[in-house]
Amino acid sequence: LFDELDMSEEVLVAVMVLRDHRNYNPLDPGHPFSIDMQRIEEEVKRLALPEQPVHFISGLHNLQEHERVAIAIEKSSRTDSTH
């Protein structure tokens, strides 16, 4: 069992937000659709090993600036997938 545990000294969690509007920043609290980064950090730290540092970075990108990513997301939202 212990062979399967990840004993990384540190954990880096990257949260990338892609948006298709400029109405509000989902990373800023106070909006009904805001992402609760504090809650995410609490949950991830709860899952980490004792004494294991967890680092968080977040980024906000507009899909208008990333044409190929926007096309891929649009195509994926129109297709059906089964698991």
Side-chain angles (χ1 to χ4, degrees):
L1 174 68
F2 291 107
D3 293 337
E4 298 176 14
L5 290 177
D6 183 5
M7 303 302 278
S8 300
E9 292 181 17
E10 296 181 80
V11 176
L12 175 65
V13 178
V15 177
M16 303 295 288
V17 178
L18 302 172
R19 67 178 177 176
D20 63 351
H21 60 79
R22 295 180 192 265
N23 297 336
Y24 63 92
N25 182 347
L27 295 174
D28 289 341
H31 194 275
F33 300 109
S34 295
I35 297 171
D36 190 350
M37 287 298 297
Q38 184 175 2
R39 179 68 188 257
I40 292 172
E41 290 180 18
E42 290 171 0
E43 290 298 318
V44 171
K45 287 180 180 179
R46 188 176 63 81
L47 297 171
L49 297 173
E51 308 286 327
Q52 187 178 41
V54 181
H55 306 283
F56 293 88
I57 58 170
S58 60
L60 177 66
H61 296 275
N62 295 312
L63 286 175
Q64 294 87 350
E65 298 170 7
H66 302 282
E67 179 182 356
R68 294 189 186 271
V69 174
I71 291 170
I73 291 172
E74 176 64 27
K75 284 182 181 179
S76 69
S77 67
R78 286 188 275 138
T79 59
D80 292 330
S81 62
T82 58
H83 301 279

